[in-house]
């Protein structure tokens, strides 16, 4: 993670790149990507038939490839992309390709600070992961649901540990899936495994498993919860606590922590549980009535109901929560602490809390133009394109990365400008 | 005989009507609470305009595709149901009873018309019976219950007709008529005859799903 | 009664899934499972349907199986309920493994869940729903035709219908992008374009067998100037055979993955290819299983999308498609969504020689492949081909050279029918004709 205090927080607008000029000399320019600090803007560019490069602030990478996709800035500001020379694939990070090539690479993942980059890989129809250029020693007949620990110390995936002949339903039901951590599979076999997740330290892994076609539970480092549920959703490690997962019992959903119900199974839906940094506050998106969704914080429901609720976020201290609701007219509302901001938008993006949790910002779309809201109030200008806002460490300024009239610009806005 | 008559038009009528009314109310409450608990992902899509549209459209003879395809069945079905309701409700002899016991009265059918309508019900029952015995589509799914129901439905009309025309022993026949009529009423909530009221709801549900979600006709 | 000769017992088909599944059953497990489903998962709907059905048999002619079997009443919708659900209800679940085998065969292979019979029943009884409850019970008992069970396994393990691995999906898209560039040099299939207006989703067989459909859709999107994307993660597959095996939990999991994929990409809507059952899963059944009253991201079926593009002048006809064509109305988007007039407007725009098949629109006969029947695999191919003679007659009567079938399962089913009854018709998706006849302003000289 970059030290945000080292970024340029001088208020004002600066044009970083004129994308119209940037387009010259290329057959085409693909989607723009903005770096976290807003100082860089990059895109895959086509230089001719089967010749691609990445253009960063108007400068092309030295290497060209026959195909490049998924260019993304990591949290530390490094730009990675998946590149192929027509035979093999590699990950290029700031124009430096990983040494070893592979049959296929996909699904780039960053550790929380961005210092570690992992990808899913396929070599000779065997599957696994690679981290900073190091591939798993063991590869599997199939792997998916890839995960990189927050610290970047470990990788995991759901893996198929035995080959399966066509339509062999008996072998499948006997269990051929497991979880592999850094390429080593658990001894246990399951009918299905989904969404392995790491604890904050990257030492433990929990996953959803299906033991038979009908019995679902959570497995932690290979050991399953004794309880059976008719369904479960992805588990999460509660900081300083146990493992919490939505579970379905008697036709309704609740939350279980270490196999004990902590929220009664009374919801038509319950998912996307989130915790404060100290683990003391738990929240989730719930549907207390069929077709009506809201957020519950420590079981207390917000009084606002929408047909769709997504993007629940808790402030680090847990004192505040925000989420998005979409109404019957397909218009979006931003909800913070159970109250709706006044505007309705064609689209809204995940709300962002300031480090001290006092302020909330979010990207929204109206009439095909984008802007940033701060505590419900729009920035004085709208744009052709906007990225998620970033707060300064003190929370008194907001970094807006935007494209305005073909110009990619970086704006540091004072809170008074909203 | 008089005592029996007084009993059947008195206490037994109360029992018959009571079971009918209470049974329907109970059944509706029971089904609604069951639907709320288990069929919420259906119940939530009910729409009054589309419910009414569906019920209305299916109440028109020869309008729905399947009514057109089965003309004899359509004629028999509509004739049967119209007469089945109209005759008991608007028969002079019945209205007289309402007036006698409750002092209320309403329009009545001429006896001659009611007589023909009774015959229509009986004829329709014969048609249903013959169809049930001979048409494979119905015969394949027919059980003894379907025959009992048909007999149950026909009997008040047959006995009523016989009584009105004083064929066989009138007093006996009229008692039989009342008893079978009350049995018919009392059994409505607990047998296939509950389609009398539940059918409206299944029709309404189909109309709602087809109209509101699927955007097509359900006929 | 003389009707005893009719019934599923006369036409049992050997299938590993059914044979082995039934062999594992005990009467106790059957009874417990049936009672659990009846008490825990069904309610007033099933009760009302079972109670008020007056056994009139008027639904029979709604069903292509009945219409194709010379009046054999055991193929009528109510005849199927009689052989399955009524017995389970009457005996309170005390039925034999053999009974479950037969019930499974009826529910999985002799009913396409097309809901045509709902339109024919005076009470609107939904026999497809009853058959789905039977399938649910059979799923919980593990008595399911082998091939569709395998498909459900694929869904659960890969989130797609055809065991397509994560990289194979992306690779297929990049390959089709290259293919399309032969014609449209600057064409793109934008992967993972967060914030695009449209996410285009397809079904598992497209990257596996029918890749040209992806290419044609990409050409359409590019030439119409759409702001679109396709995901490079799971969630790209909108199909759902778990919905048809009775595995409602996997159905829900699939739909969650699909919709959350679109929500992650922040698109305004999902446009999906020419598939019927996937539309049903997204628009009708899967969303409900997750407590989303309607689709949480609007889903536009290809037929409606073409119509929109035509209306907005973004899709233009370059040359007419001269052959005589007829249109098969797929149940799940016509009876399931009412897109029949829009489909016709598009067809008429491209095909001056359009002949209606009769009956049509929401009264069209099912292809007999839908409802998961074609996914039950080779053992049941004859069941659905022989069970849809009426479709062959319907097609033949049009005399058309080409049949347009804007649905994958219909396509598979009609292919077998056209072949089986030697109709000599060409079969096309609508996009095949659009692709052939549309204006392509960016095409290379």
């Amino acid at each position: 993670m970059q030290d945000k205090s080292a970024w340029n927080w001088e208020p004002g607008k600066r044009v970083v790149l004129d994308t119209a000029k940037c387009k010259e000399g290329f057959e085409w320019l693909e989607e723009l990507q903005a770096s976290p600090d807003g100082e860089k803007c990059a895109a895959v560019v086509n230089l001719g038939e089967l010749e691609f490069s990445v253009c960063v602030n108007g400068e092309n990478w030295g290497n060209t490839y026959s195909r490049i996709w998924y260019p993304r800035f990591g949290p530390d500001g490094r730009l990675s992309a998946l590149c192929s020379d027509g035979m093999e694939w590699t990950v290029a990070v700031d124009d430096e390709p990983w040494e070893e090539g592979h049959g296929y690479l996909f699904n780039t993942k960053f550790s929380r600070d961005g210092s570690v980059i992992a990808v899913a890989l396929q070599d000779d129809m065997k599957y696994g992961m690679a981290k900073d250029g190091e591939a798993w020693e063991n590869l599997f007949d199939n792997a998916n649901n890839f995960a990189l620990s927050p610290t970047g110390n470990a990788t995991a995936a759901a893996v198929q540990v035995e080959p399966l002949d066509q339509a062999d339903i008996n072998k499948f039901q006997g269990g051929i899936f497991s979880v592999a951590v850094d390429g080593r599979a658990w001894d246990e076999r399951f009918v299905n495994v989904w969404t392995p997740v790491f604890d904050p330290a990257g030492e433990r892994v929990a996953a959803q498993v299906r033991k038979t076609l009908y019995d679902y539970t959570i497995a932690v480092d290979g050991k399953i919860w004794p309880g059976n549920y008719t369904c479960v959703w992805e588990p999460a490690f509660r900081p300083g606590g146990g493992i919490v997962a939505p579970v379905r019992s008697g036709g309704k959903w609740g939350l279980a922590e270490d196999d004990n119900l902590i929220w009664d199974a009374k919801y038509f839906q319950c998912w996307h549980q989130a915790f404060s940094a100290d683990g003391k506050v738990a929240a989730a998106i719930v549907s207390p009535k069929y077709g009506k969704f809201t957020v519950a914080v420590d079981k207390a429901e917000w009084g606002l109901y929408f047909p769709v609720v997504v993007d629940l976020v808790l402030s680090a201290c847990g004192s505040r929560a925000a989420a998005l609701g979409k109404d019957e007219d397909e218009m979006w509302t931003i909800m913070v602490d159970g109250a709706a901001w006044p505007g309705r938008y064609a689209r809204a993006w995940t709300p962002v809390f300031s480090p001290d949790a006092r302020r909330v910002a979010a990207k929204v779309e109206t009439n095909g133009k984008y802007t940033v809201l701060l505590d419900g109030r729009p920035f004085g200008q709208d744009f052709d394109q906007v990225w998620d806002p970033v707060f300064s460490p003190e929370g008194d300024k907001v970094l807006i990365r935007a494209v305005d009239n073909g110009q990619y610009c970086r704006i540091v806005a004072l809170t008074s400008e909203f | 005989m008089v005592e029996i008559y007084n009993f059947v038009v008195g206490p037994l009528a109360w029992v018959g009507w009571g079971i009918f009314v209470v049974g329907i109310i109970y059944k509706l409450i029971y089904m609604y609470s069951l639907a709320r608990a288990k069929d919420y992902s259906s119940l939530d899509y009910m729409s009054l305009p589309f419910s009414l549209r569906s019920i209305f459209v299916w109440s028109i003879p020869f309008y729905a595709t399947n009514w057109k395809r089965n003309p004899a069945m359509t004629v028999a079905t509509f004739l049967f149901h119209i007469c089945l309701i109209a005759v008991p409700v608007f028969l002079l002899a019945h209205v007289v009873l309402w007036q006698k016991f409750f002092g209320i009265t309403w329009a009545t059918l001429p006896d001659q018309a009611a007589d023909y309508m009774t015959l229509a019900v009986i004829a329709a029952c014969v048609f249903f019976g013959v169809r049930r015995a001979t048409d494979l589509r119905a015969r394949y799914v027919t059980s003894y219950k379907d025959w009992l129901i048909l007999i149950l439905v026909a009997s008040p009309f047959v006995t009523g007709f016989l009584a009105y025309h004083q064929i066989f022993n009138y007093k006996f026949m009229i008692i039989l008529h009342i008893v079978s009529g009350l049995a018919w009423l009392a059994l409505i909530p607990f047998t296939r005859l509950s389609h009398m009221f539940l059918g409206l709801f299944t029709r309404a549900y189909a109309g709602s799903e087809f109209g509101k979600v699927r955007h097509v006709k359900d006929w | 009664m003389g009707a005893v000769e009719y019934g599923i017992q006369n036409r049992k088909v050997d299938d590993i899934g059914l044979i082995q599944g039934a062999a594992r059953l005990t009467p106790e497990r059957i009874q417990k499972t049936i009672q659990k489903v009846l008490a825990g998962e069904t309610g007033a709907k099933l009760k009302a349907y079972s109670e008020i059905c007056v056994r009139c048999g008027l639904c029979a002619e709604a069903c292509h199986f009945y219409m194709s079997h010379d009046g054999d009443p055991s193929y009528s919708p109510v005849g199927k309920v009689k052989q399955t659900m009524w017995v389970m209800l009457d005996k309170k679940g005390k039925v034999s493994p053999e009974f479950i085998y037969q019930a499974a065969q009826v529910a999985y292979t002799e009913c396409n869940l097309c809901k045509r019979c709902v339109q024919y029943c005076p009470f609107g009884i939904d026999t497809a729903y009853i058959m789905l409850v039977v399938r649910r019970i059979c799923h919980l008992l593990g008595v399911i035709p082998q091939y569709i069970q395998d498909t459900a396994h694929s869904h659960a393990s890969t989130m797609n219908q055809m065991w397509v691995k994560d990289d194979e999906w992306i690779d297929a898209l990049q390959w089709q992008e290259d293919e399309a560039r032969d014609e449209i040099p600057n064409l793109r299939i934008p992967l993972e374009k967060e914030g695009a207006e449209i996410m285009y989703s397809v079904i598992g067989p497209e990257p596996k067998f029918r890749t040209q459909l992806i290419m044609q859709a990409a050409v359409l999107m590019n030439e119409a100037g759409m702001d679109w994307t396709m995901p490079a993660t799971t969630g790209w597959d909108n199909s759902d055979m778990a919905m048809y095996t009775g595995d409602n939990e996997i159905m829900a999991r699939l739909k969650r993955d699909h919709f959350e994929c679109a929500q992650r990409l922040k698109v305004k809507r999902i446009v999906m290819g020419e598939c019927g059952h996937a539309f049903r899963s997204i628009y009708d059944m899967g969303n409900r299983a997750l407590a989303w009253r309607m689709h949480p991201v609007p889903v536009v079926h290809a037929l409606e999308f073409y119509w929109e593009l035509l209306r907005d002048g973004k899709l233009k006809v370059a040359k007419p498609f001269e052959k005589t064509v007829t249109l098969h109305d797929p149940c799940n988007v016509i009876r399931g969504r009412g897109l029949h007039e829009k489909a016709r407007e598009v067809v008429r725009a491209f095909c001056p020689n359009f002949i209606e098949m009769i009956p049509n629109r929401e009264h069209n006969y099912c292809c007999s492949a839908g409802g998961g029947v074609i996914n039950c695999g080779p053992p049941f191919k004859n069941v659905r081909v022989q069970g849809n003679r009426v479709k062959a007659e319907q097609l033949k009567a049009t005399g058309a050279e080409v049949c347009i079938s804007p649905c994958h399962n219909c396509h598979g089913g009609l292919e077998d029918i056209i072949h089986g009854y030697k109709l000599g018709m060409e079969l096309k998706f609508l996009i095949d004709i659009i692709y052939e006849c549309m204006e392509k302003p960016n095409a290379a000289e």
Side-chain angles (χ1 to χ4, degrees):
Chain A
M1 187 97 64
Q2 288 176 316
D3 177 9
K4 283 186 194 146
S5 60
W7 295 0
N8 182 349
W9 288 104
E10 192 65 37
K13 175 178 173 179
R14 176 155 49 87
V15 175
V16 176
L17 181 69
D18 188 338
T19 59
K21 271 190 201 146
C22 192
K23 276 179 192 154
E24 290 164 13
F26 305 136
E27 287 293 318
W28 70 81
L29 178 83
E30 302 191 353
E31 292 77 48
L32 297 176
Q33 307 292 329
S35 66
D37 62 3
E39 299 286 357
K40 286 184 211 156
C41 174
V44 170
V45 289
N46 178 277
L47 306 172
E49 203 179 332
L50 291 178
E51 194 180 3
F52 290 86
S53 183
V54 176
C55 173
V56 184
N57 284 7
E59 297 288 319
N60 286 357
W61 277 2
N63 294 310
T64 61
Y65 300 91
S66 61
R67 188 181 285 281
I68 304 177
W69 71 288
Y70 207 67
R72 291 293 185 275
F73 284 99
D76 62 351
R78 290 188 297 161
L79 175 65
S80 71
L82 301 165
C83 309
S84 170
D85 59 5
M87 298 293 290
E88 288 192 314
W89 285 85
T90 187
V91 178
V93 183
D94 286 341
D95 202 14
E96 279 295 313
W98 284 358
E99 272 174 28
E100 218 155 316
H102 296 279
Y104 204 87
L105 296 176
F106 55 105
N107 209 336
T108 312
K109 294 196 175 292
F110 302 98
S111 61
R112 185 166 285 159
D113 66 3
S115 62
V116 176
I117 298 173
V119 289
L121 77 83
Q122 174 266 112
D123 266 325
D124 301 325
M125 298 310 287
K126 292 276 191 179
Y127 292 80
M129 293 186 78
K131 196 177 80 178
D132 286 341
E134 286 285 317
W136 284 0
E137 276 178 31
N138 295 322
L139 298 180
F140 298 88
D141 285 314
N142 196 5
N144 49 36
N145 291 259
F146 302 98
L148 172 66
S149 69
T151 56
N153 66 324
T155 51
V159 294
Q160 182 184 330
V161 292
E162 282 178 52
L164 185 69
D165 287 335
Q166 197 193 353
D168 189 347
I169 54 176
N170 290 321
K171 186 170 182 184
F172 177 91
Q173 289 174 21
I176 56 166
F177 287 92
S178 189
V179 169
V181 180
D182 290 334
R184 285 178 301 278
W186 291 348
D187 293 335
E188 293 73 13
R189 305 278 178 270
F190 304 100
V191 170
N192 281 113
V193 171
W194 301 283
T195 65
V197 292
F198 282 98
D199 70 329
E203 285 160 0
R204 303 173 68 199
V205 176
Q208 309 175 61
V209 298
R210 184 161 75 146
K211 297 188 292 180
T212 69
L213 290 186
Y214 324 108
D215 298 314
Y216 294 71
T217 193
I218 300 296
V220 185
D221 296 333
K223 301 283 170 292
I224 54 168
W225 286 359
N228 277 334
Y229 301 96
T230 50
C231 201
V232 296
W233 296 133
E234 64 277 11
F237 285 85
R238 181 205 282 269
I243 291 148
V244 179
V247 295
R248 192 166 196 246
S249 178
K252 296 278 176 69
W253 289 90
L255 275 184
E257 180 161 19
D258 296 339
D259 209 15
N260 302 307
L261 272 182
I262 54 167
W263 288 17
D264 286 343
K266 61 173 186 176
Y267 300 108
F268 290 87
Q269 192 52 269
C270 174
W271 51 25
H272 295 290
Q273 68 276 27
F275 307 98
S276 57
D278 62 5
K280 285 185 180 152
V281 178
I285 295 171
V286 296
S287 168
K289 271 185 178 171
Y290 175 75
K292 296 189 190 311
F293 286 77
T294 188
V295 169
V297 180
D298 284 338
K299 296 191 222 180
E301 285 163 30
W302 286 354
L304 281 172
Y305 299 92
F306 286 93
V308 178
V309 171
V310 297
D311 291 6
L312 167 65
V313 280
L314 280 188
S315 64
C317 59
S319 64
R320 304 192 70 189
L324 307 175
K326 192 176 75 164
D327 59 27
E328 281 85 358
D329 305 326
E330 302 292 335
M331 296 296 280
W332 291 88
T333 300
I334 294 151
M335 297 178 280
V336 180
D337 297 334
W341 284 358
R344 293 165 82 229
Y345 303 92
R347 275 191 283 196
W349 273 254
T350 315
V352 179
F353 280 99
S354 63
D356 61 4
R358 285 178 50 211
R359 296 178 184 282
V360 188
K363 168 188 172 182
V364 292
E365 179 194 346
T366 313
N367 298 328
K369 299 285 260 182
Y370 302 85
T371 192
V372 169
L373 304 179
L374 179 69
D375 294 333
R377 296 183 308 275
F379 182 66
Q381 188 189 351
D382 52 20
F383 305 96
D384 301 326
Q385 194 178 347
V386 160
W387 281 262
D388 281 337
V390 184
F391 279 99
S392 64
E394 291 76 31
D396 57 342
K397 298 184 197 94
V398 179
L399 172 65
I400 299 173
R401 300 165 291 167
V403 175
D404 182 20
N405 261 330
Q407 292 181 325
Y408 169 75
C409 53
R410 182 187 189 278
I411 299 167
V412 175
L414 296 169
T415 54
S416 58
E417 292 177 72
F418 289 85
Chain B
M1 276 297 199
V2 177
E3 293 79 39
I4 298 175
Y5 178 81
N6 285 339
F7 172 74
V8 296
V9 295
L12 195 67
W14 279 101
V15 171
W17 276 96
I19 295 174
F20 170 65
V21 173
V22 175
I24 286 182
I25 293 169
Y26 164 78
K27 189 85 175 223
L28 283 177
I29 293 172
Y30 169 74
M31 288 299 243
Y32 179 65
S33 48
L34 190 62
R36 279 186 53 132
K38 301 282 181 212
D39 299 308
Y40 46 83
S41 67
S42 299
L43 197 62
D44 204 51
Y45 298 81
M46 292 299 280
S47 145
L48 187 62
F50 286 116
S51 294
L52 296 176
R53 180 180 85 164
S54 186
I55 292 167
F56 175 71
V57 159
W58 276 89
S59 304
I60 305 168
F62 296 105
Y63 192 82
T65 308
N66 215 15
W67 288 144
K68 288 192 195 99
R69 288 184 69 99
N70 294 278
M73 187 64 172
T74 303
V75 169
T77 301
F78 278 90
L79 205 59
F80 171 77
H81 283 98
I82 291 166
C83 298
L84 183 83
I85 293 167
V87 171
V89 172
F90 298 108
L91 188 76
L92 179 64
H94 287 179
V95 176
V96 166
L97 286 174
W98 286 98
Q99 192 175 20
K100 184 178 159 196
F101 286 101
F102 298 101
I104 51 171
T105 185
W106 55 79
T108 57
L109 286 166
D111 276 4
Q112 187 74 22
D115 204 33
Y116 284 131
M117 288 166 79
T118 303
L119 277 175
V121 171
I122 296 166
C125 285
V126 171
F127 172 81
F128 292 144
V130 170
R131 184 176 179 279
R132 201 167 274 299
T134 58
D135 189 325
L136 261 183
R137 297 176 297 176
R139 193 173 75 181
Y140 183 67
V141 291
T142 295
S143 73
Y144 72 93
K145 284 186 198 162
D146 301 290
W147 291 108
L148 290 182
I149 291 284
L150 193 61
I151 292 165
L152 178 70
V153 171
S155 33
F157 290 87
V158 172
T159 52
F161 181 82
L162 295 177
Y164 175 70
H165 291 280
Q166 313 247 334
I167 303 169
F168 303 127
N169 182 325
Y170 171 77
K171 282 182 181 161
F172 175 71
M173 210 43 81
I174 200 74
I175 289 167
L176 208 58
H177 169 70
I178 297 167
V179 170
S180 62
L182 290 172
W184 180 68
L185 275 181
L187 284 169
I188 284 175
F190 310 105
T191 59
R192 231 153 265 174
L193 298 177
S194 61
H195 74 255
M196 172 186 147
F197 54 98
L198 290 182
L200 293 173
F201 291 94
T202 55
R203 183 76 264 155
Y205 173 61
S208 300
E209 287 276 5
F210 274 66
K212 199 169 157 191
V213 181
R214 301 170 159 258
H215 306 285
V216 279
K217 299 180 289 188
D218 61 328
W219 58 88
Chain C
M1 298 290 293
V4 284
E5 67 266 31
Y6 295 108
I8 184 69
Q9 69 279 2
N10 303 322
R11 48 181 191 259
K12 268 183 68 183
V13 173
D14 283 345
D15 176 274
I16 292 170
L18 297 181
I19 293 169
Q20 294 181 346
R24 284 191 292 261
L25 293 178
T26 61
E28 294 73 34
R29 183 174 166 204
I30 296 173
Q31 194 182 359
K32 208 177 127 198
T33 304
I34 293 177
Q35 288 180 355
K36 201 174 84 183
V37 172
L38 294 181
E41 300 186 15
T42 67
K45 204 156 86 167
L46 183 67
K47 256 200 171 63
Y49 288 159
S50 310
E51 188 174 308
I52 69 169
C53 172
V54 293
R55 278 70 170 161
C56 65
L58 281 179
C59 53
E61 282 155 15
C63 183
H64 49 283
F65 276 103
Y66 174 81
M67 296 299 280
S68 304
H69 280 106
D70 304 317
D72 179 339
S74 65
Y75 283 104
S76 75
V78 66
K80 294 171 206 175
V81 180
K82 171 201 155 89
Q83 295 174 84
T84 56
M85 184 49 76
W86 289 351
V87 182
M88 294 182 188
L89 288 168
D90 280 351
K91 299 193 170 174
K92 298 188 167 57
K94 276 188 201 158
V95 294
S96 66
E98 176 61 22
F99 172 84
I100 294 294
Y101 188 122
Q102 295 179 13
Q105 192 179 323
V106 169
Y108 284 111
T109 74
E110 294 181 357
C111 172
N112 297 99
L113 312 175
C114 76
K115 301 215 185 202
R116 194 170 188 260
C117 50
V118 183
Q119 293 174 300
Y120 280 65
C121 172
F123 296 127
I125 291 175
D126 186 350
T127 302
Y129 165 76
I130 301 172
M131 287 298 117
L132 274 169
V133 176
V134 175
R135 290 187 186 192
R136 172 69 174 165
I137 288 166
C138 292
H139 158 71
L140 293 173
L141 290 170
V143 183
I144 304 166
Q146 179 194 11
Y147 282 88
I148 193 168
Q149 180 63 66
D150 179 65
T151 307
H153 290 164
S154 169
H155 275 304
S157 311
T158 63
M159 296 289 132
N160 69 71
Q161 197 187 333
M162 309 289 298
W163 296 100
V164 176
K165 288 161 182 166
D166 287 4
D167 66 316
E168 292 172 337
W169 160 246
I170 309 165
D171 195 44
L173 296 185
Q174 293 177 334
W175 167 42
Q176 288 311 306
E177 189 179 55
D178 286 341
E179 292 284 309
R181 279 178 188 161
D182 288 344
E183 186 181 15
I184 317 277
N186 287 4
L187 176 139
R188 285 188 61 213
I189 297 180
L191 292 178
E192 291 290 310
K193 182 180 174 186
E194 194 255 354
E197 291 270 324
I198 291 168
M199 176 175 109
Y200 185 65
S201 72
V202 301
I203 72 167
E206 293 204 23
K208 201 92 176 172
F209 309 120
R210 288 174 175 164
T211 42
Q212 88 282 359
L213 291 175
I214 295 175
M215 189 269 283
Q216 292 170 355
V219 169
L220 178 66
M221 289 287 187
N222 274 268
E223 297 310 275
M226 292 292 107
D227 176 16
W228 70 299
T229 187
M230 290 182 91
T233 62
T234 61
W236 57 265
D237 182 8
N238 48 36
S239 72
D240 183 358
M241 281 302 139
M243 163 176 77
Y244 287 150
T245 62
D247 193 343
N248 299 345
E249 289 77 17
I250 294 297
M251 164 174 77
R253 184 169 293 271
L254 294 171
K255 291 311 107 174
R256 184 186 171 196
D257 197 42
H258 185 60
F259 282 120
E260 290 196 343
C261 180
Q263 289 173 337
R264 175 178 65 76
L265 289 168
K266 287 286 176 192
V267 295
K268 283 190 181 154
R269 50 190 194 150
I270 297 168
V271 172
M272 57 177 291
E274 292 178 39
C275 183
H277 91 274
F279 187 81
R280 180 193 197 132
S281 167
I282 290 169
Y283 181 76
D284 183 1
M285 291 181 64
N287 56 316
R288 295 187 193 196
L290 291 158
W292 279 317
R293 200 170 175 279
M294 296 305 288
H295 38 32
V297 180
V299 178
V300 181
H301 188 266
L303 286 178
E304 187 171 10
F305 185 62
Y306 305 150
W307 178 84
E308 259 184 45
L309 294 180
L310 210 54
R311 176 198 63 189
D312 298 343
K314 291 174 177 166
L315 169 63
K316 292 197 179 89
V317 183
K319 56 173 183 184
F321 185 81
E322 293 291 358
K323 288 183 184 171
T324 51
V325 304
T326 187
L327 172 69
H328 168 76
D329 290 290
C331 306
N332 283 320
V333 290
I334 305 302
R335 200 173 299 109
R337 181 59 183 83
L339 296 180
H340 39 281
E341 296 308 336
K342 287 179 177 169
R344 277 164 179 72
E345 285 186 39
V346 179
V347 170
R348 287 205 183 95
F350 283 89
C351 310
N353 304 308
F354 170 50
I355 305 161
E356 287 281 9
M357 63 174 85
I358 294 166
N360 55 50
R361 297 178 168 82
E362 68 267 56
H363 283 282
N364 188 33
Y365 284 117
C366 168
C367 62
S368 201
V373 174
I374 195 169
N375 305 75
C376 292
F380 301 98
K381 183 179 168 186
N382 285 338
V383 173
R384 64 185 159 81
V385 174
Q386 287 164 8
N388 213 358
R389 192 184 66 208
V390 69
K391 181 96 243 168
E393 290 160 2
Q394 200 192 2
L395 288 172
K396 196 172 181 186
T398 65
E401 295 163 273
V402 175
C403 174
I404 301 170
S405 159
C407 164
H408 278 271
N409 279 341
C410 296
H411 221 81
L414 294 182
E415 209 165 346
D416 292 332
I417 285 167
I418 288 170
H419 194 251
Y421 293 92
K422 301 188 171 53
L423 301 179
M425 270 179 142
E426 228 183 305
L427 193 61
K428 284 187 183 293
F429 286 97
L430 192 45
I431 187 83
D432 291 327
I433 290 174
I434 292 175
Y435 172 75
E436 192 181 321
C437 299
M438 68 186 273
E439 278 187 13
K440 294 173 193 157
N442 299 311
E445 292 299 309

